[in-house]
Structure formats: structure tokens, C-alpha cells
């Protein structure tokens, strides 16, 4: 029973740490566990306890998203100073890796592109290269940073775009891979304009 109790504590501890809990009053925590398991009267109602936990989780989320936003803004501010980086009025930044010689797309065109998207920490969240197949999509059906940026390219070009959150996935992010307020980096190769 001692080992099992300790093991259960470890599992709960890992779960709490994953939720952002970095300190706890062990005596109160143990008392609450004991009260619930043995059916004793708890110091809080279930609703009160749930509200306290919800408030904590909301605060943790707000702090995390603020940190991501600040990190992205700092990254873009420093990146804008680098040689070869062009900053557009919208806040979109880009560098030319290779110029193209073909036609330039309009926002209403369908384009075929190879691309790789990363967070500012270098973590890849999407890559047509890794899938081994370029993507075809309407240019006005993607994030605003892509719609604006790819129109600057000619077929055969490869650019690197640095996209502020408001031209990317905004305050919501996208799935598990892209957090809210994340600035993104995309290497984009415009293969062709599809007719």
C-alpha cells in the first residue's frame, strides 16, 4: 500500500506539474485527498474547488500566451534589423533565398508550393517537403501573411517569411502545434500558378 500510495502521488504530481503547478501546500493537498477518498466533509464544495482550479488554469493560460506574444514580438523586432530582411507596412517580413523568373500570382490564383513552417524556436509544425508532395491551394484561402507574401514571388522563387501572429493564426492558434499569438516562419517555394 505504501508503494501504491507513493506511485499515485507521483502520477498526480506529474499531472499537476504538466498543468503548470510549481508549488503546493502538501498538508492541505493530502488532507483534501484523504477527505475525498474516505468520504469526509470537505472544506470546499465541489463547485468552489472547480472554480478555484478554473481560475488558476485561466491565469496560467493568460501568462503563457502573453509570453508567446512577447517572444514573437521581440523576435520580429530583432529580425527586422538583420541585413537582407524586408519589412512591409503590414508587419510581414521576408528574405529572398532565390528569385524566380516566372509569373507572379494574384490573390485569386491557385498556387503549387513546397513549404516548411516553424515556430520562432525552430520547431517544425508543418512541411510539404517532409510529406514529399507540394501543396496546391487558393492563395486567398490561407493565412494573410501567405496571401500577401506569395504575391511578391515569381514562379521558381523561394522566400523565407517571418509572419506576426495577426497575419498568421491570431489569438487562437491552430491545433496543438501552433499556440495562440505565435509568430511563424515559413520557407516557401513557389513552384507554379495552377490554371
Amino acid at each position: 500500500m505504501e508503494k501504491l500510495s507513493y506511485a499515485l502521488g507521483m502520477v498526480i504530481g506529474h499531472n499537476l506539474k504538466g498543468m503548470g503547478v510549481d508549488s503546493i501546500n502538501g498538508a492541505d493537498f493530502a488532507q483534501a485527498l484523504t477527505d475525498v477518498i474516505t468520504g469526509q466533509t470537505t472544506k470546499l464544495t465541489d463547485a468552489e474547488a472547480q472554480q478555484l482550479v478554473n481560475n488558476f488554469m485561466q491565469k496560467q493560460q493568460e501568462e503563457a500566451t502573453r509570453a508567446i506574444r512577447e517572444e514573437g514580438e521581440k523576435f520580429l523586432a530583432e529580425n527586422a534589423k538583420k541585413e537582407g530582411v524586408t519589412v512591409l507596412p503590414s508587419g510581414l517580413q521576408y528574405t529572398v533565398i532565390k528569385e524566380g523568373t516566372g509569373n507572379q500570382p494574384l490573390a485569386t490564383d491557385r498556387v503549387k508550393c513546397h513549404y516548411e513552417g516553424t515556430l520562432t524556436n525552430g520547431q517544425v509544425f508543418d512541411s510539404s517537403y517532409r510529406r514529399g508532395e507540394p501543396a496546391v491551394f487558393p492563395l486567398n484561402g490561407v493565412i494573410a501573411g501567405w496571401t500577401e507574401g506569395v504575391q511578391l514571388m515569381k514562379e521558381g522563387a523561394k522566400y523565407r517569411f517571418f509572419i506576426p501572429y495577426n497575419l498568421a493564426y491570431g489569438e487562437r492558434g491552430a491545433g496543438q502545434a501552433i499556440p495562440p499569438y505565435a509568430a511563424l516562419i515559413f520557407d516557401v517555394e513557389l513552384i507554379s500558378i495552377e490554371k
Side-chain angles (χ1 to χ4, degrees), residues 2-195:
E2 287 178 12
K3 280 190 174 182
L4 176 59
S5 295
Y6 192 83
L8 289 168
M10 286 179 62
V11 169
I12 292 169
H14 285 299
N15 288 340
L16 291 173
K17 192 169 186 175
M19 292 167 48
V21 176
D22 56 10
S23 65
I24 198 164
N25 181 314
D28 287 340
F29 183 77
Q31 184 63 54
L33 277 175
T34 301
D35 289 348
V36 169
I37 290 170
T38 61
Q40 300 299 313
T41 302
T42 55
K43 294 180 182 178
L44 302 170
T45 66
D46 287 346
E48 289 170 332
Q50 190 62 54
Q51 186 61 51
L52 284 169
V53 170
N54 289 348
N55 291 346
F56 171 80
M57 295 300 292
Q58 183 177 355
K59 184 178 177 190
Q60 291 293 101
Q61 182 65 33
E62 288 170 0
E63 288 175 9
T65 55
R66 184 174 64 249
I68 291 166
R69 182 176 182 170
E70 289 172 358
E71 176 187 309
E73 290 170 351
K74 180 180 176 188
F75 173 87
L76 291 169
E78 291 172 4
N79 192 64
K81 299 173 190 171
K82 293 181 179 175
E83 187 175 338
V85 174
T86 301
V87 182
L88 300 176
S90 67
L92 179 67
Q93 302 177 9
Y94 71 93
T95 58
V96 176
I97 298 170
K98 175 187 160 193
E99 281 292 10
T101 56
N103 294 317
Q104 268 182 276
L106 301 172
T108 52
D109 286 332
R110 286 173 52 81
V111 294
K112 181 187 283 188
C113 295
H114 255 313
Y115 66 91
E116 182 162 271
T118 62
L119 302 176
T120 57
N121 65 8
Q123 179 182 338
V124 176
F125 59 82
D126 193 10
S127 175
S128 67
Y129 293 108
R130 292 184 182 186
R131 288 191 299 276
E133 186 176 344
V136 177
F137 49 84
L139 196 49
N140 60 6
V142 291
I143 61 172
W146 267 65
T147 304
E148 180 181 8
V150 175
Q151 289 182 81
L152 304 171
M153 303 171 74
K154 293 181 178 178
E155 291 170 307
K158 186 173 184 178
Y159 284 21
R160 178 168 292 153
F161 295 107
F162 307 91
I163 305 177
Y165 79 89
N166 61 311
L167 298 177
Y169 293 97
E171 300 172 5
R172 293 186 171 191
Q176 297 297 314
I178 302 172
Y181 295 102
L184 305 177
I185 303 167
F186 278 98
D187 285 352
V188 180
E189 181 183 353
L190 176 58
I191 298 169
S192 61
I193 299 169
E194 300 292 287
K195 298 299 177 192

